[in-house]
Amino acid sequence: MKLIVDKLSKKFKLHLQNSREISAVTDVSFSLKKGEFLSIIGPSGSGKSTILKCIYRTYLPTDGEIKFFKEDSQILNLHNATEDEVIKLRRGEIGYISQFLKVLPRVATLDIVAKPLIDIGVKESEAKEEARELLLYLGIKRELHDISPLTFSGGEQQRVNIAKEIIAPKKLLLVDEPTASLDEERKKLVVQLFKKLKEQNITIISIFHELDLINKITDKFLKLDEEKYAD
Ligand SMILES: Nc1ncnc2c1ncn2[C@@H]1O[C@H](COP(=O)(O)OP(=O)(O)OP(=O)(O)O)[C@@H](O)[C@H]1O
Ligand SMILES: [Mg+2]
């Protein structure tokens, strides 16, 4: 896996405001090798999340190239990949972790976290055991494992969200402030998990506000400036 982002730009047209354009991202370039950890830093509104969403193709880039070198060494340009190609890529190679847990109602936490392992062929009992361990590591009490996480606290939901995305990690993980509602100790636990993923050669692009915590595991920084508006 390898990723090359070359002069990526994203503009939004505001149709309700005389089609005024906002330049969310302008000419961003970087490249990443397998197992590298990139931290995007910059003030609120500088386009950090927009970059991740362009790579995940939630947003279609306006300009520039995003070349994703797949495990089978096929190269996909995410700027013009088809929807089918994007869906396949999301299934196996690119994962996205946001601040928010999105799950179906009435599914037990343990089942949610074990599912990605079961989906890749791990036996159900083993998958559940691994899920339980990960949840306990993240401080989610055993008595909560059998109920849906939808009534959990914000911080508990964030930890379930992280657990379900990293239990069977994709090759490239896009991580957007996943620890925003966690306390310092829990943030450290999560950063430890990302360190382990890096050791397993998972490539990570992250937006974290705690520079002191991620400094040690960051290979490259991408620093963005204040937002710029165009007419
Ligand atoms: N879907 C959208 N439609 C219109 N404008 C958008 C859209 N998404 C982002 N923007 C604009 O693009 C700019 C960058 O937003 P983005 O969310 O990438 O910032 P950010 O660096 O992640 O900020 P924060 O640290 O607050 O999360 C902002 O001015 C925002 O209003
Ligand atoms: Mg953001």
Side-chain angles (χ1 to χ4, degrees), residues 12-14 22-25 42-51 53 59 99 176-177 207 209 224 227 229:
F12 292 102
K13 235 189 190 138
L14 303 180
I22 288 184
S23 292
V25 173
S44 177
S46 58
K48 302 183 295 297
S49 299
T50 303
I51 293 174
K53 286 176 184 165
Y59 294 155
Q99 290 178 32
D176 196 346
E177 300 190 50
I207 304 169
H209 284 295
L224 302 177
E227 68 231 80
Y229 289 89

Side-chain angles (χ1 to χ4, degrees), residues 15-194:
H15 295 289
L16 294 176
Q17 291 192 26
N18 289 328
S19 295
R20 190 164 71 95
E21 280 194 341
I22 288 184
S23 292
V25 173
T26 307
D27 269 352
V28 163
S29 303
F30 62 87
S31 67
L32 274 182
K33 288 196 285 252
K34 199 172 176 155
E36 281 190 314
F37 192 106
L38 175 87
S39 292
I40 306 181
I41 51 176
S44 177
S46 58
K48 302 183 295 297
S49 299
T50 303
I51 293 174
L52 294 192
K53 286 176 184 165
C54 285
I55 297 171
Y56 200 56
R57 260 287 293 274
T58 311
Y59 294 155
L60 199 58
T62 313
D63 265 308
E65 293 199 325
I66 301 174
K67 280 193 194 148
F68 185 86
F69 295 66
K70 299 203 299 180
E71 287 293 294
D72 60 10
S73 39
Q74 218 188 316
I75 304 171
L76 210 55
N77 190 348
L78 287 167
H79 189 154
N80 52 25
T82 64
E83 293 300 312
D84 268 359
E85 285 170 326
V86 170
I87 288 167
K88 269 194 206 136
L89 213 56
R90 289 180 180 186
R91 221 171 271 149
E93 305 207 43
I94 306 186
Y96 187 91
I97 314 180
S98 74
Q99 290 178 32
F100 309 104
L101 176 72
K102 287 191 205 105
V103 291
L104 294 172
R106 292 183 295 278
V107 183
T109 299
L110 192 70
D111 293 329
I112 290 169
V113 177
K115 186 174 185 299
L117 277 181
I118 295 169
D119 285 349
I120 58 167
V122 176
K123 243 175 54 194
E124 192 177 329
S125 56
E126 278 171 35
K128 286 192 172 173
E129 199 40 53
E130 220 175 295
R132 192 177 291 290
E133 255 174 54
L134 183 55
L135 285 165
L136 289 172
Y137 171 86
L138 286 166
I140 305 292
K141 289 182 285 230
R142 202 173 273 268
E143 65 199 45
L144 294 177
H145 294 188
D146 294 334
I147 54 179
S148 161
L150 289 175
T151 52
F152 287 7
S153 75
E156 284 167 344
Q157 289 197 7
Q158 281 201 334
R159 282 175 276 154
V160 173
N161 189 36
I162 293 166
K164 88 186 216 312
E165 297 301 329
I166 66 170
I167 195 156
K170 311 270 164 66
K171 309 287 181 253
L172 171 66
L173 290 181
L174 308 169
V175 181
D176 196 346
E177 300 190 50
T179 59
S181 336
L182 300 185
D183 54 69
E184 203 63 16
E185 281 312 303
R186 299 264 156 70
K187 278 182 182 160
K188 278 187 193 156
L189 287 179
V190 173
V191 172
Q192 267 315 104
L193 284 179
F194 282 111

